[in-house]
Amino acid sequence: MGESKMADVEARLAALEARIDELEDLNAIRRLQNAYGYYIDYNRPEEVAGLFSQDGAVVFLSGEYRGHEGIMRLYGTWFQNLFTGGRRGPVKGLLLDHFQLQDVITIAPDRQTAKGRFRGVLAGGWHDAIKDALPEGMPQQFWEAGIYENDFVREDGVWKIRRLNYMMQWQADYETGWSHTVAHLQPAVQCYPENPIGPDVILAESEWRPTWPDRQEVSMSFAHPVLGAAFAVEHFQKMQRTWP
C-alpha cells in the first residue's frame, strides 16, 4: 500500500475513532440525565448528589443550590420532607414520575465539557389512602413541565452534571388543568441558613424566573441544525425575500 493510501486510511480511522468517542459521550450524558430522573422519582437524594461534580450546582425556582451540601438540602431536606416525611425511597400511594425527553446534547471539541437541553414532564400526587399526608397548599394531583439547560463536565474521566438548570414552564392541578392553575411552588425570597431549605444564592433580578402563567425565554445551547451558529431571525427573513 502506498504512503498516500496509508495516510488516507489513517485519516479515516482517526475520523471514525473521533465519531465513536462522540457517540460514547452522547450516550454517557443521556444515561446520566435519565438516571437523574429515576433517582428523584424513587426519592434517592444521595444518588442524585452523586451525579454532580465537586463544584456542582442546581438552579431551581430562581435560586442556586451549590455543592453536594446544597444539592442534598434541595433533594433531601426539602423534597424528601415535603413528599415522604423524611423517609428514603418510594412511599405507598405517592406518585412522582419525571420523564426526561427531547435531548439535544452538544459536546465541546476537547470532550471535557458539554451542554444538554432536555424537556422534563412530571406527574405527581397522593392516593386517597394517604391524602391526609398532603402538604398544605399542594394539589392532590398535579402536572408539571420544564426545560433543562444543563452543563456537564468530565471529572476524573467520568461525565458528571456541573450545573443542572431547570426552568419550570408550568404547573397544573390535574382536575382543573393549566388554564385555571397558578403554580403551587414559588421562588424562594430568602437564602440558607435563614431559610433552612433555601438556596445558597438568589439569582439576580435580571435572571428572575416568574412562574406559570407567566412565561420566559429559555435560551438554547445548541446551534441551528441546518443554518448553524450564525443563524439569526433577521438574516433568515432577508433570505426569504430572495427565494423564488
Side-chain angles (χ1 to χ4, degrees):
M1 184 180 294
E3 290 185 5
S4 62
K5 287 187 176 180
M6 179 60 73
D8 180 60
V9 169
E10 289 177 350
R12 291 171 63 189
L13 284 174
L16 286 172
E17 287 177 353
R19 180 56 177 155
I20 290 170
D21 289 341
E22 182 184 24
L23 290 173
E24 288 179 343
D25 291 338
L26 289 171
N27 285 331
I29 291 171
R30 186 175 293 120
R31 183 183 180 91
L32 180 65
Q33 183 74 25
N34 287 338
Y36 164 82
Y38 280 111
Y39 287 146
I40 54 177
D41 285 346
Y42 286 92
N43 185 31
R44 302 170 76 98
E46 293 82 4
E47 283 94 328
V48 172
L51 299 173
F52 286 79
S53 63
Q54 290 299 315
D55 61 348
V58 177
V59 182
F60 181 68
L61 290 176
S62 297
E64 187 169 299
Y65 295 78
R66 295 180 170 175
H68 288 174
E69 180 181 346
I71 294 167
M72 281 298 297
R73 187 185 323 124
L74 174 63
Y75 294 106
T77 305
W78 183 9
F79 286 1
Q80 197 171 63
N81 287 337
L82 177 66
F83 292 109
T84 68
R87 290 170 290 175
R88 174 182 163 86
V91 171
K92 178 182 178 180
L94 173 65
L95 172 67
L96 283 177
D97 277 349
H98 292 77
F99 305 101
Q100 310 291 295
L101 308 166
Q102 288 184 305
D103 55 277
V104 180
I105 301 167
T106 306
I107 310 294
D110 64 1
R111 298 182 57 224
Q112 297 305 303
T113 60
K115 291 184 176 293
R117 185 182 181 95
F118 305 82
R119 185 180 300 278
V121 179
L122 165 63
W126 286 257
H127 189 271
D128 281 341
I130 63 163
K131 66 180 181 180
D132 290 342
L134 184 66
E136 184 178 354
M138 290 283 286
Q140 188 174 348
Q141 300 180 105
F142 65 92
W143 292 105
E144 179 181 315
I147 299 293
Y148 299 91
E149 272 289 355
N150 296 346
D151 293 303
F152 301 90
V153 63
R154 191 193 301 275
E155 187 175 80
D156 299 325
V158 179
W159 282 107
K160 298 180 183 180
I161 304 170
R162 171 174 277 171
R163 192 170 191 260
L164 187 136
N165 187 6
Y166 176 71
M167 288 164 271
M168 182 198 299
Q169 295 298 289
W170 54 268
Q171 285 182 326
D173 295 5
Y174 181 86
E175 288 82 1
T176 56
W178 48 82
S179 297
H180 309 287
T181 302
V182 173
H184 55 265
L185 290 178
Q186 296 294 322
V189 296
Q190 195 173 38
C191 291
Y192 179 84
E194 287 77 14
N195 178 0
I197 60 172
D200 294 283
V201 176
I202 301 291
L203 298 183
E205 186 175 347
S206 60
E207 298 178 287
W208 191 257
R209 299 169 179 180
T211 54
W212 179 253
D214 290 310
R215 299 294 304 279
Q216 64 276 348
E217 180 72 20
V218 183
S219 298
M220 298 181 186
S221 58
F222 57 92
H224 190 284
V226 175
L227 302 175
F231 170 76
V233 172
E234 295 79 8
H235 296 162
F236 189 78
Q237 291 170 340
K238 290 179 182 178
M239 289 169 55
Q240 279 185 305
R241 289 195 286 270
T242 66
W243 294 347

